[in-house]
């Protein structure tokens, strides 16, 4: 079980499913219906991380707020709603909008800001300073881009399934924050 000292700044909304085996360090706020798998890593090193509603954060995924090195500000990393962080993806972005997908082994650096409806493909690495336009797909080993015609739909079926099944096989962190 988690030590109370390690997770003293963890705020979990009602309806969120946070597996106790996840590594959660620092000031973290987790929105309702968000699912955090075992062995996911969320590390608020340089400042708080605020995760919205309905996100899926899978095994071995890392979300980390490393900051910019500017000691005068405390950067807040904001993750929007209904994003999917697939197995072994890494996100250091200061802002992630809504309905984005970071596929397996993808990397989004701290200089990148994802808008809404973006997909970062398998193994793609984004490290240059940029704001990725809405509905952009980054794919292939050359990091090619194209625009989707339609926005990706939230994975409500997958969310419903995980909310029902994960508590049967894992210890779950109890919510300590009322939903608004």
């Amino acid at each position: 079980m988690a030590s109370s000292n390690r997770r003293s700044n963890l705020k979990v909304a009602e309806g969120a499913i946070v597996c106790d085996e996840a590594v959660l360090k620092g000031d973290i706020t987790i929105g309702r219906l968000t699912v955090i798998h075992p062995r996911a890593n969320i590390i608020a090193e340089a400042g708080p991380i605020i995760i919205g509603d309905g996100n899926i954060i899978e095994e071995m995924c890392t979300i980390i707020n490393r900051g910019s090195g500017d000691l005068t500000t405390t950067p807040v990393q904001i993750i929007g709603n209904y994003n999917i962080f697939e197995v072994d993806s890494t996100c250091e972005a200061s802002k992630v909008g809504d309905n984005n997908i970071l596929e397996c082994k993808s990397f989004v650096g701290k200089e990148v800001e994802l808008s809404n409806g973006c997909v970062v493909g398998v193994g793609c690495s984004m490290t240059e300073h940029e704001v990725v336009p809405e509905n952009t797909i980054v794919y292939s080993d050359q990091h090619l881009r194209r625009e989707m015609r339609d926005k990706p739909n939230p994975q409500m079926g997958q969310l419903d399934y995980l909310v029902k099944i994960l508590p049967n096989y894992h210890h779950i962190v109890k919510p300590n924050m009322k939903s608004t």
Side-chain angles (χ1 to χ4, degrees):
M1 288 284 182
S3 72
S4 60
N5 186 28
R6 185 178 80 161
R7 295 192 179 165
S8 62
N9 290 329
L10 179 64
K11 295 172 265 327
V12 179
E14 290 178 355
I17 301 295
V18 179
C19 292
D20 192 54
E21 299 93 336
V23 176
L24 306 165
K25 295 180 182 176
D27 186 359
I28 302 168
T29 303
I30 299 169
R32 62 181 191 79
L33 290 177
T34 289
V35 173
I36 299 178
H37 287 250
R39 296 201 52 215
N41 300 289
I42 302 175
I43 303 166
E45 192 175 273
I49 297 175
I50 300 171
I51 300 172
D53 299 339
N55 292 288
I56 299 173
I57 302 169
E58 296 182 355
E59 294 88 351
M60 297 177 0
C61 170
T62 300
I63 296 175
I64 186 166
N65 185 354
R66 290 190 199 274
S68 62
D70 180 5
L71 300 177
T72 61
T73 62
T74 303
V76 177
Q77 184 177 28
I78 299 173
I79 309 293
N81 303 315
Y82 301 103
N83 296 293
I84 299 175
F85 298 86
E86 292 183 356
V87 173
D88 207 16
S89 63
T90 300
C91 179
E92 296 179 359
S94 62
K95 186 171 187 298
V96 175
D98 300 332
N99 294 316
N100 295 294
I101 301 171
L102 275 69
E103 293 185 347
C104 296
K105 296 189 180 281
S106 63
F107 177 85
V108 177
K110 64 184 174 185
E111 299 295 322
V112 178
E113 184 178 311
L114 288 178
S115 58
N116 301 314
C118 298
V119 178
V120 181
V122 175
C124 288
S125 179
M126 302 178 72
T127 57
E128 301 296 321
H129 178 75
E130 70 176 303
V131 176
V132 181
E134 288 197 16
N135 302 329
T136 298
I137 300 174
V138 180
Y139 64 99
S140 89
D141 56 353
Q142 288 132 10
H143 308 280
L144 301 173
R145 295 162 189 240
R146 69 179 179 86
E147 183 180 342
M148 284 188 284
R149 291 185 184 154
D150 297 323
K151 294 180 180 183
N153 293 323
Q155 297 293 316
M156 296 310 292
Q158 185 178 5
L159 265 173
D160 290 342
Y161 177 76
L162 290 169
V163 165
K164 289 176 187 169
I165 202 76
L166 282 175
N168 294 330
Y169 299 99
H170 299 280
H171 294 284
I172 304 300
V173 175
K174 290 187 181 357
N176 59 4
M177 186 174 85
K178 295 271 187 218
S179 296
T180 56

